[in-house]
Amino acid sequence: MAPIIEVNNLTYRYDLRTETKALLSVSFTVHRGEWFAIIGNNGSGKSTLAQLLTGLLEPQQGSIFIADMEMTEKSKWEIRNRIGVVFQNPDNQFIGSTVQDDVAFGLENLNMDYKEMKKRVYEALKMVGMFEYRLYDPSHLSGGQKQRVAIAGALAMKPDVLILDEAFVMLDPRSRRELLETIHELKVSADLTVVSITHDMTEVEAADRVVVLDNGQVTNIGKPREIFTQEKELTPPLGEKLRRALAKRGANVPQSYMSREEVMCWLWK
Amino acid sequence: MNKLSLGRYVPGDSILHQLDPRAKLVSGFYFIIVLFIANNWQTYLLLWLFTLGVMRLSKVHLYTYFRGVRPLIWLILFTVVLQMLFTAGGTIYVEWGPIRISEFGLINGVYIFCRFVMIIFISTAITLTTKPIDLTDGIDSLLGPLRKLNIPVDEISLMLSISLRFIPNLLDETQRVMDAQRARGTEFGEGSLVQQMKTLVPIFLPLFTNSLNRAEELANVMEVKGYQSGIKRSSFRKLRWKTCDTITLCVMAALTIGLILLRLN
Ligand SMILES: Nc1ncnc2c1ncn2[C@@H]1O[C@H](COP(=O)(O)OP(=O)(O)O)[C@@H](O)[C@H]1O
Ligand SMILES: [Mg+2]
């Protein structure tokens, strides 16, 4: 698998007068078509990383390659045409005066013609289940609905890489599940790469790989089952939780990490 | 939040709602110009009929229109009184020291009052039936030719539309901050002027910082979505000129002819 994102030795400091670094020597690669989860406590540097990946901040040290292009002042516009981003606060990223205007904003910047634009906007709105709301203005939407619009705006760009910064926090569990499924389908059908900053352990469990950030540093990187086995302070997903509870009670469960399906199979035996 | 509903858009499906914003803007400005043709009671009667007809067509409650006049009533009365006092001619009705109200003065005062109120009613009819964003688009389209003079028309109208989009947020936020301060025992609108000003400081500071943060995040999002000032952008919102818009302009022309004929009489 070819890497689509390569981050080497990335270091970032907001305040150059102090030594506190928001990110310190962060390195990782993300492969094409992978679902890559980023987890970590508040203030661990996740959003900073998202801003570096989109060229909003310039690294003090290290480099970022996306789709074989190094992120520079010049190349960032080209790179941005290939990534879709959803930031944390849905209210402050609603630019349009209606739902459909907002989804169209990025397409307008590509100078896309009206017919194609309309098709893409409608498609994206249907994907996130906001089509009926297309003429609403943002003051009549809930936080979760605004997040869905923001996701539609990113999907309408048909990006190679989708970067999500806690993009689902305001959604109810069911819409969250549905949206994750939709994006998973795109990942398979359109070879979309997803970089998702999240606190949702169910989502982390479904990711291909996970990186753990702590105080601006990468403390762990690997498959979800490895991460959940090694990082004891993480709340594990339901299956593993059940396995650990059973083990504690002295049941004769396997010693290693189990997903929900695995636990179910084991229980049925 | 409701106090600020002056000139706010009221959703509806009246003919006025369906008109192209450009037609409404052009007619609105044109109306102000033709007002100056009027010089006798017949012409003013025609203008009033037109104004009331437009208000009727908007299907918005009359009360909303009067609310539009209220904040300006003192300014209007002041102008009217000045006009009355300083126009001479005809029979003199009141003579009280240096104050003198003449027949012409009185008539002029009434005319001025009518002009003011009609302008307010017509512009209110426009803002009540046109979404702010459509108004922005209309202005953008009408100012289009200025692009040739290197005036950044698109940037200005985008800025305008984003500002409009954030007005409700700002109002909500103000309300929230005020409630938070009230919960801490602040009482607004009480005490001396200085005290009242002081209670406002803790409201404006958080609002100001919030707005700055918001602006920065918004700029980030626009940048990431590929917005650069000066690039060629297509537009998802499209204004469509319809037959009823052409008819509107014809009505304005007919109004002008009617006024000229009545004036010549
Ligand atoms: N604009 C900023 N200016 C200064 N410091 C910042 C700024 N944004 C974030 N930080 C600091 O950088 C660190 C990482 O923040 P952030 O990337 O937002 O973390 P996370 O998204 O993981 O919660 C925090 O200590 C935060 O206080
Ligand atoms: Mg964050």
Side-chain angles (χ1 to χ4, degrees), chain A residues 14 22 41-48:
Chain A
Y14 279 102
N41 297 331
N42 293 333
S44 55
K46 305 180 300 294
S47 296
T48 309

Side-chain angles (χ1 to χ4, degrees), chain A residues 51 54 56 76-77 80 85 87 89 91-97 100-102 104-109 111-112 114 117-118 121 138-139 157, chain B residues 131 133 158 161-162 165-166 168-169 172 210 213-215 217-228 231-238:
Chain A
Q51 292 192 33
T54 47
L56 289 169
K76 67 181 184 190
W77 297 103
R80 281 172 185 163
V85 192
F87 289 111
N89 186 335
D91 218 3
N92 294 355
Q93 54 186 314
F94 206 113
I95 299 162
S97 47
Q100 59 177 11
D101 285 351
D102 189 62
F105 182 79
L107 305 176
E108 289 176 324
N109 292 333
N111 201 17
M112 188 178 281
Y114 181 73
M117 202 150 48
K118 187 166 167 183
V121 170
S139 54
M157 307 283 283
Chain B
K131 280 190 202 152
I133 188 64
L158 183 68
S161 74
I162 292 176
R165 125 109 190 80
F166 275 101
N169 285 69
D172 281 353
N210 280 354
N213 285 339
R214 195 194 286 285
E217 279 184 42
L218 203 64
N220 280 348
V221 172
M222 288 171 66
E223 202 186 316
V224 168
K225 290 195 174 185
Y227 178 79
Q228 286 169 282
I231 56 164
K232 180 126 183 51
R233 306 178 71 229
S234 50
S235 169
F236 188 66
R237 288 191 309 272
K238 284 256 184 299

